[in-house]
Amino acid sequence: MFNLKNSIKQWLNELRKYSSFEDGDIAEIEDHIRDEIDSEIHLGNSEEKAFKKAITSFGSREEVGKEMYFAKSRIKNYKPEILKQEFPNSGNPILMHIMMLQNNVKVALRNFLKNKVYGTINLTGLVIGMVSCLIISLYVFQELSYDRFHEDSDHIFRIHMDRY
């Protein structure tokens, strides 16, 4: 029986044998491969067929390793003209932001599924912080709107007297 997680893990371990791939590169490649697999599964292919198709579309590890090494050496000799030629402006920044947000949501969900305890702790903290902020904001707005329904609300004063 085919196990997608183990197959991806084995394939990435094979990539780690090459010195041209760093940890960040491997994480980026993993995200790319998983996106390819997801799109193939969405098209109706089985997990095994989608995995094989994504791996073949990636290319041989030797060629990609050489390309990575070449790309890193070009980035060290950074020239803005080169990057403008390689990455032209798409012309639609809204579409780019939507695609980036979609990618960030996918990465966040994958990280949450990998580390469920830490993800739950982080999500709980985020929810508590947002709810606290909302409650404090509602309280402040309520205090600031005190007696605003009167016509001369700026002339209304509150007198407070303490007895001991």
Side-chain angles (χ1 to χ4, degrees):
M1 176 123 198
F2 181 75
N3 188 344
L4 182 63
K5 282 185 177 181
N6 288 339
S7 299
I8 293 173
K9 192 174 182 179
Q10 279 181 328
W11 190 78
L12 291 174
N13 285 336
E14 289 293 319
L15 273 184
R16 285 188 174 87
K17 293 179 182 176
Y18 295 93
S19 61
S20 58
F21 295 110
E22 296 174 355
D23 289 337
D25 300 331
I26 291 176
E28 185 177 342
I29 290 169
E30 180 183 3
D31 284 342
H32 175 71
I33 291 294
R34 287 185 185 273
D35 286 342
E36 288 286 324
I37 291 171
D38 288 345
S39 65
E40 288 296 323
I41 290 173
H42 185 70
L43 292 174
N45 294 326
S46 67
E47 286 184 347
E48 184 174 7
K49 189 174 182 181
F51 175 74
K52 288 180 181 176
K53 199 167 185 181
I55 298 306
T56 54
S57 72
F58 182 75
S60 72
R61 292 175 271 236
E62 293 84 14
E63 291 175 11
V64 175
K66 288 177 186 176
E67 288 179 21
M68 293 289 283
Y69 180 77
F70 179 70
K72 287 176 189 175
S73 65
R74 285 181 71 186
I75 289 174
K76 288 179 184 174
N77 303 324
Y78 170 72
K79 294 179 182 171
E81 303 85 37
I82 294 172
L83 290 178
K84 284 181 185 174
Q85 292 169 0
E86 292 179 6
F87 304 107
N89 189 0
S90 74
N92 192 349
I94 295 172
L95 182 62
M96 287 177 55
H97 288 302
I98 291 171
M99 290 171 56
M100 193 67 177
L101 181 64
Q102 186 180 23
N103 187 35
N104 286 338
V105 168
K106 281 183 185 178
V107 170
L109 285 175
R110 285 185 191 140
N111 287 335
F112 181 77
L113 293 174
K114 280 183 188 176
N115 306 316
K116 292 181 181 175
V117 174
Y118 292 115
T120 305
I121 291 171
N122 285 335
L123 191 61
T124 304
L126 178 68
V127 168
I128 289 172
M130 290 178 74
V131 168
S132 300
C133 181
L134 181 67
I135 290 173
I136 291 169
S137 298
L138 288 173
Y139 177 75
V140 167
F141 288 134
Q142 192 270 335
E143 286 295 317
L144 291 175
S145 67
Y146 188 76
D147 283 342
R148 295 284 170 165
F149 57 89
H150 291 292
E151 288 179 18
D152 297 326
S153 61
D154 54 338
H155 297 299
I156 296 176
F157 296 97
R158 182 176 170 195
I159 299 174
H160 183 75
M161 184 171 156
D162 290 329
R163 283 191 167 174
Y164 297 104

